[in-house]
Amino acid sequence: MASYKYKMLGFSRKFKMNEVGPPADVKKAFSKFAEGGDHMSADQLRRFLVEHQGDMDSTVADADRIIEQVLHERRDASEGLSLSDFFHFLFHSDLNGPIKSQVHHDMTAPLSHYFIYTGHNSYLTGNQLSSDCSDAPIIKALQRGVRVIELDIWPNSTKDDVLVLHGRTLTTPVKLLKCLQSIKEYAFVKSQYPVIITLEDHLTPNLQAKVAEMLIQIFGEMLYYPQAECLAELPSPESLKHRIVISTKPPKEYLESKDSKDKESILTGERASGGETPGFMAEQEVNERSDSDQDDEEISACDHKSGQRGAPEYKCLISIHSGKPKGSLKNALEVVANKVRRLSLSEQALEKAATNHGTDVVRFTQKHVLRVYPKGTRFTSSNYKPHVGWMHGAQMVAFNMQGYGKLLWSMQGMFRTNGECGYVKKPDFLMQKGPHDEVFDPKITLLVKKTLEVKVYMGDGWHLDFSQTHFDSFSPPDFYTKVRIVGVPADVTKKKTRIIEDDWAPFWDEEFKFPLTVPELALLQIEVREYDRSEKDDFGGQTCLPVSELRPGIHAVPLYDKKGEKLKSVKLLMQFQFV
């Protein structure tokens, strides 16, 4: 048995490293399915997977593969699994993770039927005012499965090239060409489903033509060309595999936006918060403002496209037309039968819309695309509560990916589902209509639909991933686990285990119950902390899991660091049941 020595006030203190053994529930399950024997055969393991873990598709061949992987070459695999082997399998996150690792949602519906992993100002390395613009955060986002990349494009000082930067701030620019090249290289390393580039365009017609040329030359056959100037329905993720989709305002709408700029900014609520801060503009105003050099000539439509698609005009590459709301918000939320569009609202504007026009927002998002973005005063690249958007069917809840925190953990958790492909099929209730055209009303508190029972057995791996004195200089760590539900307001709740003192492999064996009214949108957020009597408790790992994707039974739950990078060894053994 391993031990650790710690020094305190000149004295040496020795602590034993407890051996990690199976909890009582694991022993009970082994005894039941091994039918009292010393080993569990492949057929018995298959029964355990089907009856206890709810994996109805498991076969004897699947069980055989698990046994071979667990035993490797230690002995004849035909003997089956001992209790120790069985416990090793259950505590193996690659073999027995808490959610499915494959794409399993229907991917043939229109894009508007999905929540889409969306970045905000995807090119910024840090804060919104003075950080560098770079392709590095774009690459990182794509590697994590983000599917919507936002680029703010501006003329350079000589008006002969295009830069990406956060306008009217001190952010240092990066060339659009470099960003597009990196998108091409990394677009499909994590997911084969489409990458949507949202362009916040502040260009002259000449530079718009130059952007069109760049897009065509860089992406080639990857670039999706809409079949009509205005799509009546969006294509599906399945039909757009390995394609790049462009979304921005058509050029003519940029000109119209000049005249309605004041109305729009009042509608979105940005200026009402206190006006401009010296040295930069509120983001809403930056996004609305067109370059002063743009004239009144609309770029020609697709009838000028050559037969070889050699140099189609900028407008012809725009698949998802976007625009700021004009007139009243209720008018902006009207569903148009023959034209799919994207509406952008700040988080403040969405809150107003949710308060005054909640069902209109839900109805709008059944056909059209709604993009929500952080308010302009989030200078430190902080984020907002994503569930307000998701409850109303917003497909593109755009997040700053530069930092970390519980809100970003929630976003990462939502998109761990469906094989981490970046597209999550919206729950049916957000897409349904009643006999009188009624839709889901997010304001109504529903009855409890199901109860999630969570049992936290134990944790292990910290001694492998952290130094002996990382958590405490004088003794082993004192771990506890926080378990909370993030979801619609009625479902939000927090629980935590007791503190296990002086133990690198804590054993809690505690159960919690979470009644859920909208389990389809609920996330289970798990965080391990190390208790500190004199300072803030230390962080020991976290994860966030979509409740709708949780596999029943006993599973190994890998933990992540503050930024969402998976820790090499740290994991919890937990059980999930629905009643």
Side-chain angles (χ1 to χ4, degrees):
M1 182 179 292
S3 63
Y4 289 95
K5 288 183 180 180
Y6 291 84
K7 289 187 177 181
M8 184 177 183
L9 301 176
F11 294 95
S12 181
R13 305 171 71 199
K14 189 174 184 180
F15 295 87
K16 291 182 178 179
M17 176 73 178
N18 295 328
E19 292 184 10
V20 179
D25 285 355
V26 173
K27 294 177 182 177
K28 183 179 177 181
F30 179 83
S31 178
K32 175 183 176 180
F33 288 95
E35 301 174 78
D38 294 331
H39 290 82
M40 184 182 286
S41 67
D43 186 60
Q44 291 168 335
L45 177 59
R46 182 200 64 80
R47 280 190 53 231
F48 166 78
L49 295 173
V50 172
E51 296 176 24
H52 192 279
Q53 305 289 86
D55 193 351
M56 308 307 293
D57 298 326
S58 288
T59 64
V60 174
D62 295 329
D64 268 326
R65 282 192 292 272
I66 290 171
I67 291 173
E68 289 176 8
Q69 286 183 268
V70 171
L71 298 183
H72 296 294
E73 298 177 358
R74 289 186 299 179
R75 63 169 189 271
D76 185 359
S78 64
E79 294 180 19
L81 301 177
S82 67
L83 172 59
S84 176
D85 299 326
F86 180 65
F87 176 52
H88 177 73
F89 154 65
L90 290 178
F91 217 171
H92 195 302
S93 58
D94 289 337
L95 296 177
N96 186 43
I99 59 177
K100 291 181 180 179
S101 57
Q102 301 84 25
V103 174
H104 57 280
H105 293 183
D106 173 18
M107 303 301 285
T108 62
L111 289 174
S112 55
H113 290 222
Y114 299 83
F115 297 131
I116 310 174
Y117 203 176
T118 302
H120 172 254
N121 290 349
S122 305
Y123 50 87
L124 287 180
T125 57
N127 71 63
Q128 302 287 307
L129 302 180
S130 60
S131 66
D132 291 338
C133 301
S134 170
D135 63 331
I138 297 172
I139 293 170
K140 188 173 183 179
L142 293 169
Q143 289 173 328
R144 286 192 169 182
V146 172
R147 298 289 85 190
V148 183
I149 299 296
E150 181 188 31
L151 302 177
D152 287 67
I153 51 178
W154 296 80
N156 66 351
S157 59
T158 55
K159 310 266 186 190
D160 62 353
D161 201 2
V162 182
L163 301 178
V164 173
L165 73 152
H166 196 199
R168 311 303 205 275
T169 69
L170 301 177
T171 55
T172 56
V174 60
K175 286 192 173 186
L176 174 63
L177 181 65
K178 186 174 185 181
C179 294
L180 296 179
Q181 288 171 336
S182 293
I183 290 173
K184 178 183 180 181
E185 185 174 354
Y186 291 92
F188 305 110
V189 295
K190 180 69 173 179
S191 169
Q192 61 186 328
Y193 292 100
V195 167
I196 301 170
I197 302 176
T198 59
L199 297 174
E200 286 292 346
D201 178 350
H202 308 272
L203 302 178
T204 63
N206 286 342
L207 287 179
Q208 288 174 343
K210 183 165 186 172
V211 170
E213 187 178 345
M214 283 187 199
L215 292 170
I216 294 162
Q217 289 183 352
I218 291 171
F219 294 119
E221 291 301 312
M222 294 166 63
L223 189 61
Y224 175 72
Y225 293 83
Q227 299 304 304
E229 185 172 342
C230 296
L231 296 174
E233 184 178 75
L234 291 170
S236 69
E238 186 67 28
S239 69
L240 292 173
K241 281 183 178 178
H242 302 287
R243 305 298 291 272
I244 303 293
V245 177
I246 305 301
S247 177
T248 188
K249 286 184 182 179
K252 185 176 180 180
E253 291 185 35
Y254 277 98
L255 299 173
E256 294 171 350
S257 75
K258 282 185 178 183
D259 297 330
S260 58
K261 183 174 60 181
D262 290 339
K263 293 179 183 178
E264 294 166 15
S265 55
I266 291 172
L267 180 61
T268 53
E270 288 294 325
R271 291 183 184 173
S273 63
E276 295 182 22
T277 300
F280 64 92
M281 298 171 61
E283 177 170 330
Q284 174 70 25
E285 188 174 352
V286 170
N287 287 347
E288 289 167 356
R289 184 168 292 187
S290 299
D291 189 278
S292 59
D293 290 344
Q294 184 163 337
D295 60 26
D296 292 333
E297 180 183 356
E298 179 183 353
I299 293 179
S300 57
C302 296
D303 55 345
H304 285 198
K305 187 191 300 187
S306 72
Q308 299 179 339
R309 294 188 194 171
E313 297 286 0
Y314 181 75
K315 185 175 181 178
C316 301
L317 302 182
I318 303 172
S319 299
I320 307 174
H321 291 205
S322 70
K324 294 289 189 288
K326 299 175 182 179
S328 71
L329 184 53
K330 186 170 179 62
N331 289 341
L333 292 169
E334 288 181 357
V335 177
V336 181
N338 60 351
K339 177 183 178 181
V340 176
R341 57 197 172 95
R342 170 169 68 85
L343 178 66
S344 292
L345 295 177
S346 70
E347 58 174 287
Q348 294 164 311
L350 175 66
E351 289 172 2
K352 292 179 182 178
T355 300
N356 301 319
H357 311 287
T359 54
D360 291 329
V361 178
V362 173
R363 189 175 286 105
F364 179 87
T365 58
Q366 290 183 343
K367 178 178 177 62
H368 302 294
V369 175
L370 176 60
R371 181 179 184 272
V372 185
Y373 58 90
K375 60 186 177 182
T377 52
R378 291 192 180 277
F379 309 134
T380 61
S381 296
S382 61
N383 285 302
Y384 53 98
K385 293 181 179 179
H387 271 87
V388 179
W390 291 333
M391 286 166 57
H392 291 80
Q395 297 86 351
M396 297 182 181
V397 178
F399 255 39
N400 293 312
M401 306 287 181
Q402 298 90 344
Y404 57 85
K406 288 184 173 63
L407 294 172
L408 189 52
W409 298 347
S410 294
M411 180 64 66
Q412 293 166 348
M414 169 63 89
F415 289 100
R416 287 199 174 101
T417 186
N418 201 26
E420 298 185 297
C421 76
Y423 286 83
V424 175
K425 189 77 157 53
K426 292 200 285 188
D428 290 341
F429 68 80
L430 283 172
M431 300 305 301
Q432 292 168 345
K433 290 182 180 178
H436 303 291
D437 201 38
E438 65 268 26
V439 296
F440 172 71
D441 187 349
K443 288 182 181 178
I444 297 177
T445 299
L446 304 174
L447 298 175
V448 171
K449 191 171 184 179
K450 63 175 66 173
T451 297
L452 170 64
E453 295 181 348
V454 176
K455 198 163 189 178
V456 186
Y457 290 114
M458 57 192 297
D460 195 22
W462 289 278
H463 66 292
L464 298 174
D465 290 354
F466 297 91
S467 69
Q468 180 177 330
T469 57
H470 177 86
F471 296 104
D472 197 321
S473 300
F474 309 115
S475 65
D478 308 321
F479 287 127
Y480 65 94
T481 298
K482 298 165 71 174
V483 187
R484 63 196 294 254
I485 291 291
V486 182
V488 302
D491 293 344
V492 173
T493 187
K494 301 177 183 179
K495 312 277 187 179
K496 67 178 179 179
T497 68
R498 68 189 187 280
I499 299 167
I500 303 297
E501 296 184 348
D502 300 333
D503 202 331
W504 281 98
F507 190 91
W508 297 284
D509 199 25
E510 295 187 49
E511 187 174 59
F512 307 105
K513 295 184 179 181
F514 299 100
L516 301 172
T517 63
V518 187
E520 298 91 341
L521 294 180
L523 300 172
L524 180 67
Q525 199 168 87
I526 302 162
E527 184 181 3
V528 175
R529 308 288 297 190
E530 198 273 335
Y531 177 70
D532 195 314
R533 290 174 177 81
S534 59
E535 299 178 1
K536 184 178 179 181
D537 292 352
D538 293 319
F539 173 83
Q542 61 84 22
T543 191
C544 192
L545 302 169
V547 168
S548 62
E549 297 283 313
L550 287 175
R551 300 166 64 195
I554 301 171
H555 295 282
V557 178
L559 298 188
Y560 298 75
D561 67 14
K562 287 183 178 180
K563 293 189 176 182
E565 299 293 338
K566 189 175 179 180
L567 295 168
K568 186 178 292 186
S569 310
V570 179
K571 54 194 172 183
L572 300 176
L573 188 68
M574 303 180 68
Q575 178 169 267
F576 310 107
Q577 299 291 347
F578 292 97
V579 295

